[in-house]
Structure formats: C-alpha cells, structure tokens
Amino acid sequence: MRMATRLCAAFLTCLAVSTAPVIAGERGAPAGAFDFYVLSLSWSPSYCAAEGDEANRQQCGRERPYAFVVHGLWPQYEKSYPEYCPSKRPQRVPDALVDQYRDIMPSAGLMGHQWRKHGMCTGFAQEDYFTLSRKARERVETPPEFRQLAKPEMVSPKRVEEAFLEANPGLKKDAIAVTCDNRYLREVRICMTKDLEFRSCEAVDRKDCRRERVLMPPARGG
C-alpha cells in the first residue's frame, strides 16, 4: 500500500498547480511501524478566528490566552503517514489525563482526536504518548516575538520560519514548514527523529506557505 500511495502522490503532484506534493494518510496501517515524527504547533488564535462560533470553547474562551499549542505529534513515513491504526488501547482519553496536558493541548476534543488518529499509530499507551508530546514541545523554543501578540499582525511566513531557526540551534530549513490558509498563519511543523532530534523531511518541508504575508490574530486574556 505504501508503494501505491507514493506513486499516486507523485502522479498528482505533476498535475497540481501547487508545487506541494499530495500526501495521503494510510488508514489502518500497523501501529508502531513509522520513520519519524512531526510536531505540529498551531497558532491557537488563528484556529479560534477561523472557526468563529464553531471553535472549541475550552480553547477559545477569553480566559485562555493560548498562543502556540500542540496540535499533535504525528508518526510519519518518509512519503506519507499512518492514521487510525488498529489498536486495543482505549479510544477515550480520561479527564484526569486531559487535565494534565491542558497547558499544551487545550481541549479534551483535540486530545481525543489526536490520540485516535495519530497516537494509536505509535503503539504507545495514552499516557506515554502524551508524555512524549510534552517532551517534543519542550524540545522546541518559541521565538520571543511569537510567545504572545498584543494586537493583530501581518507577518511573513518566511520570517516566522527564520525566527524558529534562530531560536533552535540545530534546526535546519528542510526540517520545518510554516503553513497557512487563505488568510491566517496556521501551524509550524517540525520534523523529529524517534529520539526527538531535529531531522530533515522533504515532503513536509514542501508544505510551506507560499503567501507573502498572512494574519496572526492576537492571543486574548480575560
């Protein structure tokens, strides 16, 4: 299946207007068989602004001024990724475990979705997966200028990437991607080995935002 996915992705890349490759998930792949991780850091105010009234209130209430949060720690193949792997592990993340990680993953819904789609593919128990997610987050230093924003700013995705490179010695340009939608800066994705060392990842790096400037909404306190 992995070979078929790669051939399909290569073919679709030739037809696409964008230079970014099409990367399809491999649903139901065996747990524990993957090559590396992607740590996805989401700019929480962009999610809240884009989703509006549909945004999760645990994450987007005025009393929770989140900036970059852990969207997920994703097992990856070199050219695709596993998802929704079969597992005998519990699917629901218990409230006690959710409460331990609200500082980096601010809602029960986010944690549950990430566990079912990605965490089960690691082969780890729930607590071990989220412990590893915290360790991966602690491995990455957020540039001071992006720890909070007092007001909306139009930013260059390239400058955001450069700031992360400057703040994290050993992180190379081919190990990071800054993503966006039509308006907002959305995520910083960083590739890591299974030992949480920075590593190159061509397919992920090619997902960089191509826009000159995008909006970063401010984080809001109560």
Side-chain angles (χ1 to χ4, degrees):
M1 181 177 178
R2 288 178 61 179
M3 180 61 72
T5 300
R6 290 170 182 156
L7 291 172
C8 178
F11 175 71
L12 290 174
T13 300
C14 296
L15 297 180
V17 173
S18 169
T19 58
V22 175
I23 305 176
E26 298 188 17
R27 196 179 184 101
F34 59 94
D35 300 314
F36 64 99
Y37 294 109
V38 168
L39 174 66
S40 176
L41 301 178
S42 171
W43 182 248
S44 183
S46 290
Y47 159 76
C48 297
E51 297 299 320
D53 292 341
E54 301 300 316
N56 183 280
R57 290 297 95 195
Q58 290 179 320
Q59 180 169 347
C60 298
R62 292 183 61 86
E63 71 281 5
R64 294 186 179 274
Y66 292 107
F68 276 111
V69 298
V70 175
H71 182 178
L73 184 66
W74 304 336
Q76 299 282 297
Y77 305 133
E78 295 297 341
K79 300 294 185 181
S80 64
Y81 58 89
E83 63 179 6
Y84 298 108
C85 300
S87 172
K88 295 182 179 179
R89 306 282 188 186
Q91 295 216 3
R92 181 183 179 276
V93 179
D95 294 343
L97 191 57
V98 169
D99 289 342
Q100 293 180 44
Y101 292 91
R102 284 193 190 276
D103 57 322
I104 62 168
M105 298 186 78
S107 78
L110 174 61
M111 287 185 65
H113 175 71
Q114 291 301 309
W115 165 249
R116 290 185 292 275
K117 184 174 182 179
H118 301 288
M120 285 184 168
C121 293
T122 64
F124 297 150
Q126 287 182 352
E127 188 167 358
D128 293 334
Y129 171 67
F130 289 112
T131 295
L132 188 67
S133 297
R134 184 182 292 282
K135 288 180 178 178
R137 178 65 185 95
E138 291 172 348
R139 179 76 175 83
V140 177
E141 185 74 19
T142 301
E145 62 265 44
F146 299 122
R147 291 174 187 167
Q148 289 288 348
L149 286 182
K151 57 185 176 59
E153 290 190 18
M154 295 298 294
V155 299
S156 161
K158 181 179 179 181
R159 174 55 197 150
V160 174
E161 180 175 298
E162 289 172 348
F164 270 85
L165 294 174
E166 292 166 5
N168 292 275
L171 180 62
K172 305 298 184 183
K173 184 174 174 55
D174 63 356
I176 181 173
V178 176
T179 72
C180 64
D181 58 21
N182 289 333
R183 184 179 183 189
Y184 299 109
L185 184 137
R186 297 306 295 256
E187 296 180 356
V188 174
R189 298 176 180 175
I190 296 174
C191 299
M192 297 178 167
T193 68
K194 291 184 177 182
D195 295 325
L196 303 185
E197 297 296 325
F198 301 135
R199 58 150 285 172
S200 62
C201 48
E202 181 180 355
V204 176
D205 179 50
R206 287 180 180 172
K207 301 296 287 186
D208 264 333
C209 177
R210 301 292 189 246
R211 294 184 174 273
E212 290 293 325
R213 290 191 175 274
V214 288
L215 178 63
M216 289 184 75
R220 299 183 298 179

